[in-house]
Amino acid sequence: MLYIIMGFYWFLLVFYSYLTIFGVYERNSIRKKIELDHYPSVAILIPCHNEGLVIENTLEAMVKLEYPGKLDIYALNDNSHDNTGDIAESFAGTFKHIHHIEVPAGFPKGKSRVLNHGLKISESDYVCIYDADNQPESKALIELVHSAETIEQACGAVGIVRTINANKNLLTRMIAIEFKVFQLIMQTGRWRSFKAGSFGGTNMLINRKILEEYGGYDPYALAEDAELTIRLTAAKYTIPINHESVTWEQEPEQLKIYTKQRTRWLIGNLYLLEKSLLTIKYWKGASLLHTMHYLMTYFLFVVMLVVNAIFTIMVLLGLVSIYSWVPLVMLWYMAYVVYTLQILVSLQINKTMTITNLLIGFIMYFTYAQFFILLLIRSCWLYLSSRIKKKVILWDKTERVKIR
């Protein structure tokens, strides 16, 4: 068992180091300037539910987008009870390409159902998704279109996300660093090495015909971006990553809100893992890489941590020799080194290497990363309970705060 654990651990360390190297290589590559003869039409879909605190800033950013083709922006108001509708209606009255859409009530509630309604009421060559708290940079959309139109077999493209309230507190700083590491390794690195990009939920562009051909969004998927990634890569489409396309979004500032948000994400990924394991076509090509990632992250990695904890307890109780535990301690040390190096590299690549971020990077493995285990346990319990009771887990909206 010890040899199996060690082999799996070393595989993860080498694999993620490999992705880090290719992510850095891609981020430092000089991109060719692209200019299309014809720019396709785009419909931006913004799901909104009680977004009065943030939707004004979001729509102001949308107005500033630079795009030479036909562009329509849809604020999809999903039964908001605050002033979301009033703000969206005000923008719609001022700008003819902004539309305020009242989404009919339906089941199941959530982002996927709202996006499917947006597909029905809009017409365009591409649809682009932004969350209601996003402020994309002016070139974000045109960069996505350039990638989608020039890369072979692309079904769309995805950009990167930056944290607009990163400096608010320790939690937001850690979230911002996590995003940088994820986008460097699991998006940019995978794209450069395997041409296996993944959608990120926001700042993402999708070819409408392809999306409609494969049934739109899964209304029961809480992690709709990951589910769509698996489905379209199984159809042999690619999802280019364009790090020149940047959007800024708000992240949770309180641990309670963060816990609820990440629980929803994890439940969505557990749903996807179950769906992937039961679907043979998801075990081929690029989809296999995504499926294996979910399997390693949400099953094998946790099993390994549990076994490591058991070995530690057995050593302390004198049930096994301490020499049996030494290899696991060495692996734990290597995991910490690799994890921290990835953080430092991502900080340097994104030019956010400060004393504060450096110190946070050194403690994230013992704090932020370990909290993932508690989140996963909570998510597994809720997911299994819902499956046993045959209940649908409803969408849990992330609470916003006013950004000043």
Side-chain angles (χ1 to χ4, degrees):
M1 180 180 293
L2 185 59
Y3 286 142
I4 293 174
I5 295 171
M6 289 176 62
F8 174 69
Y9 219 134
W10 276 111
F11 170 78
L12 283 182
L13 294 179
V14 172
F15 179 65
Y16 285 119
S17 298
Y18 172 86
L19 292 180
T20 303
I21 293 171
F22 276 87
V24 172
Y25 182 73
E26 172 68 13
R27 288 294 298 272
N28 286 325
S29 299
I30 299 176
R31 298 183 70 249
K32 295 180 180 179
K33 185 177 180 180
I34 299 173
E35 189 170 336
L36 304 177
D37 294 330
H38 168 73
Y39 282 85
S41 58
V42 178
I44 292 179
L45 306 181
I46 309 172
C48 307
H49 178 70
N50 294 336
E51 305 288 1
L53 293 176
V54 295
I55 192 62
E56 183 175 359
N57 291 336
T58 297
L59 292 177
E60 285 178 352
M62 296 296 161
V63 171
K64 298 175 183 176
L65 286 171
E66 298 176 12
Y67 188 69
K70 178 175 170 48
L71 175 63
D72 286 286
I73 300 164
Y74 296 86
L76 303 173
N77 187 0
D78 183 23
N79 298 281
S80 297
H81 305 301
D82 61 359
N83 61 340
T84 298
D86 295 334
I87 296 173
E89 193 63 36
S90 174
F91 273 85
T94 305
F95 303 95
K96 65 179 182 180
H97 67 303
I98 294 182
H99 314 279
H100 173 221
I101 305 297
E102 295 279 0
V103 179
F107 185 86
K109 295 181 179 179
K111 183 177 177 180
S112 295
R113 182 184 64 84
V114 174
L115 290 175
N116 282 334
H117 182 75
L119 283 173
K120 292 179 182 178
I121 56 89
S122 62
E123 293 182 357
S124 59
D125 298 314
Y126 286 92
V127 293
C128 186
I129 314 301
Y130 282 105
D131 288 337
D133 64 333
N134 271 225
Q135 297 180 41
E137 295 182 358
S138 60
K139 299 288 186 180
L141 176 59
I142 196 170
E143 287 292 340
L144 293 179
V145 172
H146 285 162
S147 292
E149 285 286 289
T150 58
I151 295 177
E152 186 177 359
Q153 281 296 103
C155 61
V158 63
I160 61 176
V161 179
R162 292 285 179 262
T163 304
I164 199 169
N165 57 334
N167 296 329
K168 181 66 177 181
N169 55 38
L170 181 61
L171 176 61
T172 58
R173 285 181 180 274
M174 287 185 171
I175 295 173
I177 292 174
E178 177 201 15
F179 270 46
K180 292 181 178 72
V181 173
F182 173 80
Q183 290 167 21
L184 176 66
I185 300 172
M186 300 312 297
Q187 286 189 312
T188 309
R190 278 198 320 203
W191 168 248
R192 184 71 190 196
S193 54
F194 299 107
K195 297 302 178 188
S198 57
F199 287 125
T202 189
N203 198 23
M204 52 181 278
L205 184 79
I206 316 171
N207 184 296
R208 175 186 291 273
K209 288 184 179 179
I210 294 174
L211 182 57
E212 291 179 341
E213 179 184 354
Y214 288 90
Y217 281 91
D218 180 347
Y220 295 95
L222 298 185
E224 81 294 334
D225 51 343
E227 193 280 334
L228 191 60
T229 294
I230 292 285
R231 195 150 32 104
L232 295 186
T233 52
K236 302 189 183 305
Y237 288 105
T238 61
I239 305 169
I241 309 298
N242 188 320
H243 59 265
E244 300 290 339
S245 174
V246 179
T247 188
W248 295 80
E249 76 173 13
Q250 179 186 132
E251 302 303 339
E253 298 180 0
Q254 300 176 17
L255 188 61
K256 179 181 178 181
I257 298 175
Y258 169 81
T259 299
K260 292 174 65 176
Q261 180 199 63
R262 293 308 171 95
T263 298
R264 169 168 58 82
W265 289 8
L266 287 171
I267 290 174
N269 282 300
L270 290 171
Y271 167 83
L272 178 57
L273 177 58
E274 179 185 2
K275 186 175 182 178
S276 299
L277 292 174
L278 298 176
T279 308
I280 299 298
K281 65 181 179 180
Y282 292 166
W283 287 86
K284 300 177 182 179
S287 290
L288 175 62
L289 187 64
H290 295 298
T291 301
M292 290 302 298
H293 165 68
Y294 293 120
L295 186 62
M296 288 189 296
T297 302
Y298 303 110
F299 179 69
L300 298 178
F301 178 68
V302 176
V303 169
M304 181 187 66
L305 290 176
V306 171
V307 171
N308 200 346
I310 292 174
F311 261 90
T312 303
I313 294 172
M314 292 176 69
V315 169
L316 294 175
L317 295 177
L319 299 177
V320 297
S321 169
I322 192 171
Y323 297 106
S324 302
W325 189 56
V326 170
L328 289 178
V329 174
M330 291 300 297
L331 286 173
W332 169 85
Y333 173 74
M334 287 302 300
Y336 171 75
V337 170
V338 171
Y339 181 87
T340 305
L341 282 175
Q342 289 171 347
I343 289 176
L344 299 181
V345 168
S346 66
L347 290 175
Q348 183 63 32
I349 285 289
N350 291 283
K351 296 180 174 59
T352 53
M353 180 68 81
T354 64
I355 296 297
T356 302
N357 284 341
L358 182 64
L359 294 175
I360 291 174
F362 283 123
I363 67 170
M364 277 188 66
Y365 183 84
F366 304 107
T367 54
Y368 190 85
Q370 300 306 313
F371 189 61
F372 169 82
I373 302 173
L374 298 178
L375 290 174
L376 186 57
I377 292 173
R378 180 174 189 263
S379 304
C380 287
W381 171 256
L382 292 174
Y383 184 72
L384 291 174
S385 298
S386 69
R387 297 294 286 162
I388 293 172
K389 297 176 183 178
K390 297 182 179 180
K391 290 184 178 181
V392 176
I393 298 179
L394 300 179
W395 182 270
D396 187 12
K397 179 188 174 296
T398 302
E399 297 178 34
R400 316 290 192 193
V401 296
K402 185 70 174 178
I403 298 293
R404 301 185 184 278

